[in-house]
Amino acid sequence: MASDPDFEAEKAVASANRGGMSSWFSANTKEDKLEEAAQLYETAANGFKRAQQLRKAAQAFEKAGELYLSYGEKYKAKSAFIKAASSYADASTVVSSNPLPSISSLSAPLRSAPLGSEEAIAEQEADKRRKQHELLNPPKASEDVKRDNRDALRVAQRALSAAEDEQGNTQHQKAKVLEQIAGIHVVLENYEEAENTYGLAGVAYGTQALPIRTFIAGGEKFAKAGAYRSAARMYEAAVAKEKSDPNPSASTAGNAVRYLCKAAFYHFATGDFVTTRRALENYCNIDRKFGQTPEFRLYMDLMEALRANDEKGFRQIREQYQRTAPTDDQRDAILEAKENSLTTPNVDDDFS
């Protein structure tokens, strides 16, 4: 019979709290005892993870990190703290990711409208509107999620401290912890702090590819949270790093323009069209090829249509672009929302 990971984890915690399996009066040194207890806490943490008890897992990893730190094992302490931070950050996600179905949904009969019927078309439109609403209105973190991420931030900062003190530590290891901290700041809506921390991670990574990957990942995290201005700045940072390469390869030659197109979109999404226009003009100075892209023309033309309150013109520009552009649900949802604002004016769209 398979053992219950939750029960096994609790046993390991109890043993660790007693100071390990051996007696404190054995021949083992105090350091040996601390290491044994730390390993038991890690065993417990892994058991809690298998049982989906992530807060307990995080607490056990954190305790292991403290014990490793107590006798100078900085590398093991850092690793345990990183695992603790990840477990804290994921704790509420696991709880909420598989909600129980409602009674009404269980009792409702399964049905499907005939393909092409008015009912089917209405269902498709309703589903489309629901998805658009979700994209345009990212859910705010619940109090439980914020609590878990505050704990994650606290422990990740301990990991960073251990990484900085670690003998022979590389900047790469420090950068990974900084990137983790930045992501937590995004969840907590500390956007300015998140931007700064992503910047520090990029500096710590040092090499060309890793900072760019970090900035792009950060940009998408910001965008998912609806922090479009910060998302644009992350892509601008990726462009700056790309342009700083004195010997760009043929395979990365077009990357800067692609990043500028993403930054342009996120600026447009903010509804601040004065800043967006300035950004687009500046991007043309950064890379003249950007001014030749369909995206540059798209956003400039759409802003003119919005300024003129030209709903028909806006729709024609949008549909013409979408006929040839790759599908992008987020972009399409935002463009349609801007179009709808011509019927229902959106006070957030700022030309002044």
Side-chain angles (χ1 to χ4, degrees):
M1 180 177 177
S3 62
D4 178 357
D6 194 6
F7 175 71
E8 293 298 323
E10 293 284 8
K11 281 205 311 183
V13 167
S15 179
N17 285 335
R18 292 194 301 271
M21 301 299 291
S22 310
S23 166
W24 280 96
F25 301 102
S26 68
N28 290 348
T29 65
K30 182 177 180 180
E31 183 175 307
D32 290 335
K33 295 299 302 178
L34 291 170
E35 181 175 17
E36 186 178 359
Q39 289 171 348
L40 284 169
Y41 272 113
E42 288 207 89
T43 299
N46 288 320
F48 285 130
K49 282 187 70 174
R50 289 193 297 274
Q52 296 292 286
Q53 299 283 328
L54 292 190
R55 274 197 71 82
K56 286 185 177 181
Q59 290 161 355
F61 277 130
E62 185 175 3
K63 187 66 176 177
E66 290 169 350
L67 289 170
Y68 284 131
L69 205 58
S70 70
Y71 66 95
E73 276 284 2
K74 300 290 179 64
Y75 178 81
K76 290 182 179 179
K78 178 201 68 182
S79 297
F81 287 143
I82 289 173
K83 291 174 185 176
S86 296
S87 296
Y88 274 127
D90 292 342
S92 296
T93 305
V94 169
V95 171
S96 61
S97 61
N98 293 303
L100 293 173
S102 65
I103 298 298
S104 60
S105 69
L106 290 172
S107 59
L110 293 174
R111 60 189 180 86
S112 178
L115 191 64
S117 67
E118 290 185 5
E119 187 178 0
I121 293 171
E123 287 177 0
Q124 290 171 355
E125 283 299 314
D127 186 55
K128 179 182 176 182
R129 286 194 297 272
R130 178 184 60 78
K131 289 179 179 177
Q132 287 178 339
H133 179 79
E134 290 173 355
L135 287 167
L136 295 169
N137 300 278
K140 297 295 183 183
S142 68
E143 286 306 311
D144 284 345
V145 170
K146 287 181 179 179
R147 175 204 63 190
D148 291 335
N149 276 273
R150 282 192 292 267
D151 284 333
L153 179 61
R154 172 179 55 77
V155 180
Q157 287 169 336
R158 297 187 73 178
L160 179 61
S161 178
E164 289 174 337
D165 293 341
E166 183 188 338
Q167 290 294 324
N169 174 56
T170 66
Q171 287 293 94
H172 179 87
Q173 292 169 329
K174 178 182 175 182
K176 288 178 69 175
V177 181
L178 284 166
E179 190 172 356
Q180 183 183 34
I181 290 172
I184 296 168
H185 277 306
V186 174
V187 176
L188 293 173
E189 300 177 35
N190 302 332
Y191 297 138
E192 184 176 353
E193 192 66 32
E195 284 187 47
N196 292 337
T197 308
Y198 274 123
L200 291 173
V203 171
Y205 274 127
T207 59
Q208 197 68 20
L210 288 174
I212 291 172
R213 180 197 62 77
T214 299
F215 296 144
I216 291 172
E220 292 308 302
K221 279 184 180 290
F222 280 122
K224 189 175 180 180
Y228 299 124
R229 200 178 305 278
S230 293
R233 285 197 280 257
M234 285 291 97
Y235 273 94
E236 289 168 353
V239 171
K241 190 65 179 176
E242 188 74 49
K243 289 289 187 179
S244 70
D245 187 355
N247 300 301
S249 66
S251 62
T252 62
N255 284 352
V257 173
R258 285 194 289 273
Y259 302 154
L260 288 171
C261 289
K262 289 289 285 189
F265 165 64
Y266 289 131
H267 269 301
F268 181 84
T270 66
D272 179 354
F273 298 133
V274 172
T275 301
T276 301
R277 186 180 297 276
R278 288 173 184 162
L280 266 60
E281 291 169 352
N282 184 47
Y283 295 167
C284 291
N285 294 328
I286 292 172
D287 194 315
R288 60 182 179 80
K289 291 181 181 178
F290 172 73
Q292 302 165 13
T293 63
E295 286 74 18
F296 171 74
R297 193 70 268 153
L298 170 72
Y299 300 126
M300 295 296 280
D301 290 347
L302 288 179
M303 285 189 289
E304 285 303 314
L306 285 165
R307 183 190 293 274
N309 203 35
D310 182 1
E311 182 181 0
K312 182 179 178 181
F314 188 103
R315 184 180 303 111
Q316 288 175 340
I317 295 164
R318 174 179 64 79
E319 290 177 348
Q320 182 179 359
Y321 174 80
Q322 288 173 330
R323 278 195 288 270
T324 57
T327 301
D328 184 321
D329 290 340
Q330 185 185 48
R331 180 202 64 216
D332 294 345
I334 287 174
L335 293 186
E336 289 193 33
K338 297 299 182 188
E339 181 182 319
N340 293 338
S341 74
L342 292 169
T343 305
T344 306
N346 185 346
V347 296
D348 291 335
D349 291 348
D350 181 14
F351 287 98
S352 59

